[in-house]
Amino acid sequence: MKLSTKGRYGLRAMIDLVLHSENEPVSIASIAARQRISESYLEQLIAKLRKAGLVISVRGACGGYIPGKAPEEISVGDVLRALEGSLNLVECPGLSDVGCDGADVCVTKYVWKKVNDSIDHTVNEIKISELVKENQRVILEKQNRELCCDKKE
């Protein structure tokens, strides 16, 4: 499985939105500038996130976007599925209602189920709020390093 730019950029945009929407809605232009993502591409991603209920559009002069749920309630899996669709590594017909001719004797379907379940579990466990905290920690760490380097000079 390889995530496209939709998933990677959309996840970055969602984190940025949560980080900057505490006091007011965030514009697509501001997210695009901070994340170095094309505004037109970001509009497409935000539309998918909006359709999934993960972001809300706020109209008006000070309009923009805000999270559709609390960051603790939004998982990485929610964001990735809204943008990418299924995250299954393998779409095995033997695991679905469709079935396949060899499903009754195929043992590889258990491998695909375990891998798919593992991916789902992992991305569902990581919440946007955790990534926001990690982002803040990394920025603070970087600022501290820069201060230390400035003092040495």
Side-chain angles (χ1 to χ4, degrees):
M1 178 180 82
K2 190 172 185 177
L3 292 177
S4 72
T5 56
K6 283 188 266 186
R8 296 191 326 266
Y9 290 1
L11 188 56
R12 285 177 27 206
M14 192 71 204
I15 294 164
D16 186 285
L17 177 69
V18 170
L19 276 166
H20 295 95
S21 66
E22 283 187 5
N23 300 321
E24 60 188 10
V26 180
S27 71
I28 285 180
S30 66
I31 296 171
R34 281 189 297 271
Q35 296 301 319
R36 298 183 184 130
I37 302 171
S38 144
E39 280 187 50
S40 60
Y41 191 51
L42 188 54
E43 284 173 359
Q44 295 171 35
L45 301 179
I46 293 291
K48 288 184 176 209
L49 293 171
R50 201 175 105 235
K51 186 176 179 184
L54 300 176
V55 299
I56 296 171
S57 172
V58 177
R59 295 190 177 275
C62 295
Y65 293 88
I66 58 172
K69 301 177 184 176
E72 300 80 23
E73 297 175 15
I74 303 171
S75 73
V76 169
D78 294 333
V79 175
L80 294 179
R81 277 188 287 279
L83 297 166
E84 300 276 359
S86 172
L87 299 178
N88 287 345
L89 181 66
V90 174
E91 294 294 337
C92 177
L95 295 172
S96 69
D97 294 338
V98 175
C100 72
D101 292 339
D104 55 340
V105 294
C106 178
V107 293
T108 60
K109 68 183 178 187
Y110 299 108
V111 173
W112 310 137
K113 179 167 179 16
K114 194 164 187 146
V115 170
N116 291 341
D117 289 349
S118 179
I119 291 168
D120 278 338
H121 176 75
T122 300
V123 297
N124 290 337
E125 287 293 310
I126 304 168
K127 302 299 181 188
I128 295 299
S129 58
E130 294 173 56
L131 297 177
V132 166
K133 286 177 190 166
E134 182 64 12
N135 180 271
Q136 292 167 331
R137 185 192 67 75
V138 167
I139 288 171
L140 186 60
E141 203 172 88
K142 180 182 178 199
Q143 290 170 343
N144 287 339
R145 274 195 315 270
E146 289 170 355
L147 283 173
C148 289
C149 291
D150 289 343
K151 289 179 182 177
K152 290 179 185 177
E153 292 175 3

